[in-house]
């Protein structure tokens, strides 16, 4: 589902109709665009209770591309949009979002989340850059596996290096994402997902070639069906895709690889088209520790403002690895044109060859 949740959301719980009054045009309404099934209905109701004088109009989109399309063709009515971190650079370059002037509770964010949204005018990470969004949910790339099929082998998946085991030949599915796949190989070799000069990484190409031979297929949508059917034994998966599956199939498990993994985040960004200079309480609401803890309990993602780390929600049970693993996990950041060209060339030579 392209790194997005299958959790029941507004429409599934009947709140689509409940918000219909908010969706009628109201020039004073706070207009927010988000992905379907990402905002817990309980917290939408909570916002309305905390800000009773602020009318709320939600626009729900199906894909990240839909949100970016709206951003490009937006009208002055939309104040806030949920944008994936992978889209930040393009949004900044095309001047469809504007930097934020004030951010509530900014100091409570870990440096990694601050660095994600602090960028220059080219959309590149820059500690001296402006702040272009507020991260409000995050997740990971995990290894999902069929426990019943793995058990006879006498071992359990622990880390990326396990994907090269001979008994997994043609038993893997990997995301059809070059940075994700090359990144996991870099992690196996003790390198960073954001390595700038991969031509200097010894053994990278042979390891990637071997991994390709292990892999049954590459896909970023509908890839978990093969794991459910037993055609694959291990799947590289986005956390919001696999978490609903874990609730339905007891023979499927998921782990965060112990050497670290890729992180992703969605951010609240402000359209350059809006004429509203206030946030309507929206950023303040999602920055509160209490709301962050509830969000991480009710949804299939975790708030970067989380303070309660006890596993009392589906996302937290799987996505909160031990501290060393979390510290070695990384957000996939934009590369320079020359570095990106190296990744593109390697992917073409290994994955797209005959």
């Amino acid at each position: 589902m392209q790194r997005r949740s299958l959790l029941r959301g507004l429409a599934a719980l009947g709140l689509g109709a409940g918000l219909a009054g908010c969706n009628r045009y109201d020039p004073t309404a706070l207009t927010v665009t988000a992905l379907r099934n990402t905002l817990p209905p309980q917290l939408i109701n909570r916002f309305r209770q905390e800000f009773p004088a602020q009318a709320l109009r939600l626009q729900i989109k199906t894909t990240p591309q839909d949100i970016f399309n709206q951003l490009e063709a937006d009208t002055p009515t939309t104040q806030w949009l949920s944008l994936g971190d992978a889209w930040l650079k393009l949004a900044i370059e095309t001047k469809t979002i504007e930097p934020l002037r004030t951010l509530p509770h900014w100091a409570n964010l870990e440096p990694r989340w601050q660095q994600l949204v602090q960028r220059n005018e080219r959309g590149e990470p820059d500690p001296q850059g402006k702040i272009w969004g507020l991260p409000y949910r995050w997740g990971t790339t995990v290894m999902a596996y069929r426990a019943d099929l793995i058990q006879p082998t006498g071992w359990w998946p622990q880390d990326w290096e396990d994907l090269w085991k001979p008994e997994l030949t043609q038993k893997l599915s990997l995301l059809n994402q070059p940075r994700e796949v090359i990144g996991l190989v870099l992690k196996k070799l003790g390198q960073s997902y954001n390595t700038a000069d991969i031509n200097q990484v010894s053994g990278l190409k042979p390891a990637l070639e071997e991994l390709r031979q292990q892999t049954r297929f590459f896909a970023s949508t509908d890839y978990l069906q093969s794991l459910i059917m037993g055609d694959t034994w291990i799947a590289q998966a986005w956390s919001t895709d696999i978490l609903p599956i874990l609730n339905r199939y007891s023979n499927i498990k998921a782990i965060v690889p112990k050497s670290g993994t890729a992180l992703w985040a969605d951010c609240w960004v402000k359209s350059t088209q809006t004429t509203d200079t206030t946030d309507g309480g929206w950023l303040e609401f999602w920055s509160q520790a209490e709301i962050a803890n509830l969000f991480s309990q009710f949804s299939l993602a975790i708030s970067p403002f989380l303070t309660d780390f006890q596993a009392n929600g589906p996302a937290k049970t799987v996505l909160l690895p031990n501290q060393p693993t979390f510290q070695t996990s990384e957000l996939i950041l934009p590369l320079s044109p020359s570095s990106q060209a190296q990744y593109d060339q390697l992917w073409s030579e290994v994955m797209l060859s005959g």
Side-chain angles (χ1 to χ4, degrees):
M1 233 183 118
Q2 291 291 8
R3 193 180 63 73
R4 286 300 179 262
S5 168
L6 293 171
L7 183 68
R8 292 188 308 160
L10 297 174
L13 290 182
L15 289 188
L19 289 170
C22 300
N23 287 333
R24 291 192 294 268
Y25 179 70
D26 179 349
T28 67
L30 178 69
T31 304
V32 175
T33 300
L35 282 170
R36 186 179 303 279
N37 305 326
T38 59
L39 299 182
Q42 302 94 324
L43 296 187
I44 296 300
N45 287 337
R46 177 72 175 267
F47 177 84
R48 297 177 68 187
Q49 292 167 4
E50 289 193 14
F51 299 89
Q54 177 63 72
L56 176 64
R57 179 172 182 262
L58 283 176
Q59 299 181 130
I60 304 301
K61 301 296 182 181
T62 304
T63 69
Q65 181 70 60
D66 292 338
I67 289 184
F68 189 78
N69 290 346
Q70 176 175 326
L71 196 56
E72 286 190 304
D74 214 347
T75 64
T77 60
T78 303
Q79 285 97 331
W80 299 104
L81 301 95
S82 173
L83 195 67
D85 65 275
W87 296 82
L88 270 179
K89 185 175 190 298
L90 182 59
I92 295 170
E93 287 179 319
T94 56
K95 302 186 186 307
T96 52
I97 63 173
E98 63 179 52
L100 306 182
R101 294 176 178 84
T102 58
L103 271 178
H105 310 290
W106 173 254
N108 294 340
L109 280 175
E110 279 196 14
R112 76 169 76 213
W113 307 119
Q114 295 179 347
Q115 294 161 6
L116 173 67
V117 293
Q118 200 161 2
R119 304 193 179 199
N120 59 30
E121 300 290 337
R122 298 183 299 277
E124 301 163 340
D126 183 345
Q128 305 304 317
K130 298 174 182 177
I131 300 170
W132 296 87
L134 180 73
Y136 76 96
R137 67 191 295 261
W138 66 268
T140 65
T141 301
V142 302
M143 290 171 62
Y145 62 93
R146 280 284 299 266
D148 54 328
L149 300 178
I150 293 289
Q151 185 175 21
T153 67
W155 57 271
W156 296 109
Q158 298 291 325
D159 210 345
W160 295 121
E161 64 184 9
D162 293 328
L163 301 184
W164 279 260
K165 290 183 179 292
E167 53 265 48
L168 294 179
T169 301
Q170 291 293 295
K171 297 297 184 182
L172 307 179
S173 72
L174 300 180
L175 296 169
N176 190 26
Q177 300 284 331
R179 293 290 303 277
E180 288 273 9
V181 176
I182 295 174
L184 80 82
V185 183
L186 288 168
K187 271 298 183 190
K188 172 183 181 289
L189 298 174
Q191 303 295 318
S192 166
Y193 274 88
N194 300 304
T195 299
D197 188 358
I198 58 174
N199 290 342
Q200 300 303 312
V201 178
S202 176
L204 175 59
K205 186 173 182 179
L208 188 59
E209 290 173 333
E210 293 172 8
L211 184 61
R212 182 195 176 196
Q213 297 305 314
Q214 294 284 90
T215 304
R216 189 179 185 91
F217 65 88
F218 296 85
S220 299
T221 58
D222 303 321
Y223 57 92
L224 291 174
Q225 189 62 31
S226 292
L227 187 68
I228 293 170
M229 299 298 294
D231 296 328
T232 57
W233 292 9
I234 296 182
Q236 181 192 30
W238 284 310
S239 54
T240 43
D241 286 346
I242 191 61
L243 284 170
I245 302 297
L246 301 182
N247 294 333
R248 296 201 295 268
Y249 299 94
S250 61
N251 58 353
I252 295 179
K253 310 295 181 183
I255 59 144
V256 176
K258 65 181 182 181
S259 64
T261 189
L263 305 175
W264 56 263
D266 288 340
C267 308
W268 293 120
V269 299
K270 189 171 188 178
S271 168
T272 54
Q273 299 297 319
T274 183
T275 57
D276 195 327
T277 59
T278 68
D279 75 353
W282 192 250
L283 297 188
E284 168 67 29
F285 179 78
W286 296 103
S287 303
Q288 297 175 49
E290 181 188 2
I291 298 304
N293 293 331
L294 290 172
F295 179 86
S296 304
Q297 179 179 346
F298 293 146
S299 79
L300 296 183
I302 295 178
S303 168
F305 291 97
L306 180 73
T307 59
D308 176 10
F309 292 90
Q310 296 302 310
N312 63 348
K316 291 166 68 176
T317 302
V318 175
L319 301 187
L320 290 178
N322 60 57
Q323 194 64 13
T325 296
F326 183 66
Q327 291 304 320
T328 56
S329 297
E330 305 171 77
L331 290 153
I332 296 180
L333 299 173
L335 298 167
S336 69
S338 59
S339 295
Q340 185 62 56
Q342 291 186 21
Y343 281 75
D344 293 342
Q345 181 177 357
L346 178 62
W347 185 260
S348 178
E349 289 177 355
V350 175
M351 297 300 180
L352 304 181
S353 61

